[in-house]
Amino acid sequence: MTWDPKKYNEFKEERSKPFDDLTSHIIDKPNLKVIDLGCGTGELTQKLSQKLTNPFVIGIDNSAEMLAKAPFQENLQFKEKTILEQIEDETKFDLIFSNAALQWIDNHKEVFPKIISRINPDGQLAVQMPQQNENILNKILFLLVQEEPFASYLNSWIRPSPVLTLDEYAKILFENGGKDLILYEKVYPIISNKKDHFFDFISGSALTVYQERLGEDEFAALTAEFKKRIDAYFPVVPSIYAFRRLIIYAKF
């Protein structure tokens, strides 16, 4: 996927609120060995490290553009690497953290047990993901790309969300030794303050997988129709977008 750090960071405040909720469940211990899967620009990775007592933190991401913005700090490292490459590595951590990244990785019923296997005894898992299967902008986009002419432009390729239900994640965590489970869905309202506000929000994330597979004119056509359908669903400004996210935490 091709990421635009500038576009993504236009909604920095909206994306940081769930980070604060997620980190509120983490138990601080001295000298934790931590990895942030899908760290993006590393700004929140740094914030996580500052919440902990003398940790060693690694942030990994497969976007060189995002990592180019990563901060410098002692006991904080960044590596260009995919999440799947990282979890194939047998290195273990005291805290595995992922904020709004695992929704881009398929096969969660296989991936989550593999991630859990990389947690040290008495370690922790903290994950936040958008609930893409419930969020209306994702639904509108998913239906749109299956229509013509976009289905032909994409050779019928679509990207279904791999995000499971809370019940399914609870089962995975429990069956893989998780305890003190905390799982919930929370709405993080986004209020439009101008035309195309909601489009701009999703264009920095879910739209990118289609952009990289389309020609310039094809993507322009998709963008125009997507904006039209968003406007039809949210016909006035201001409007509220009830953006749902999953918070998942467990000890092992």
Side-chain angles (χ1 to χ4, degrees):
M1 291 174 58
T2 302
W3 291 94
D4 180 348
K6 182 178 179 181
K7 173 63 68 176
Y8 191 80
N9 278 334
E10 285 179 9
F11 295 87
K12 183 188 300 185
E13 183 177 348
E14 289 89 341
R15 300 184 196 280
S16 66
K17 290 177 182 177
F19 168 88
D20 293 332
D21 286 335
L22 181 61
T23 55
S24 72
H25 302 296
I26 295 171
I27 297 173
D28 184 21
K29 300 177 183 178
N31 308 313
L32 289 177
K33 184 179 180 182
V34 181
I35 189 162
D36 182 359
L37 301 177
C39 64
T41 62
E43 183 176 358
L44 294 179
T45 315
Q46 182 182 47
K47 190 174 178 181
L48 172 63
S49 73
Q50 293 168 347
K51 288 175 176 284
L52 301 172
T53 303
N54 194 36
F56 174 72
V57 183
I58 298 174
I60 65 113
D61 202 279
N62 66 344
S63 171
E65 294 84 2
M66 288 290 211
L67 290 174
K69 305 293 184 181
F72 294 96
Q73 179 183 306
E74 189 176 356
N75 296 337
L76 181 60
Q77 294 183 1
F78 294 96
K79 296 181 180 180
E80 186 177 342
K81 198 173 186 181
T82 70
I83 292 173
L84 292 177
E85 287 171 343
Q86 181 60 51
I87 63 177
E88 286 302 320
D89 188 316
E90 295 186 359
T91 304
K92 295 192 175 185
F93 298 88
D94 302 312
L95 169 62
I96 295 184
F97 180 88
S98 186
N99 183 63
L102 292 180
Q103 72 273 15
W104 300 115
I105 307 298
D106 292 331
N107 303 316
H108 282 199
K109 289 183 179 179
E110 297 176 7
V111 166
F112 267 71
K114 179 64 72 72
I115 290 173
I116 291 167
S117 74
R118 303 309 184 218
I119 299 175
N120 284 324
D122 300 318
Q124 303 171 75
L125 174 69
V127 172
Q128 182 273 121
M129 296 176 290
Q131 180 45 291
Q132 294 172 324
N133 291 309
E134 298 296 330
N135 288 328
I136 188 61
L137 293 185
N138 294 91
K139 289 181 178 181
I140 292 171
L141 178 60
F142 189 65
L143 291 174
L144 177 58
V145 295
Q146 296 179 73
E147 297 179 12
E148 293 297 346
F150 310 112
S152 293
Y153 293 163
L154 292 161
N155 295 316
S156 297
W157 182 89
I158 54 175
R159 206 274 172 176
S161 173
V163 177
L164 306 174
T165 65
L166 283 178
D167 286 356
E168 289 173 303
Y169 288 117
K171 186 172 186 289
I172 291 170
L173 296 178
F174 177 77
E175 291 181 349
N176 287 274
K179 56 186 179 180
D180 296 340
L181 308 186
I182 299 172
L183 301 98
Y184 57 93
E185 179 181 281
K186 182 174 177 179
V187 169
Y188 294 86
I190 299 173
I191 310 299
S192 62
N193 55 34
K194 60 182 176 64
K195 182 176 169 59
D196 295 337
H197 186 100
F198 295 147
F199 170 81
D200 290 342
F201 175 76
I202 197 169
S203 69
S205 54
L207 200 58
T208 58
V209 295
Y210 297 104
Q211 182 178 9
E212 64 187 13
R213 288 171 171 80
L214 293 172
E216 185 175 339
D217 291 342
E218 295 169 343
F219 184 67
L222 177 65
T223 295
E225 184 60 28
F226 189 28
K227 286 181 177 180
K228 187 184 300 182
R229 298 197 184 188
I230 293 172
D231 288 344
Y233 194 91
F234 300 100
V236 299
V237 175
S239 288
I240 184 169
Y241 175 29
F243 191 68
R244 295 170 172 85
R245 294 180 182 269
L246 303 182
I247 302 290
I248 299 170
Y249 172 84
K251 300 176 187 174
F252 291 88

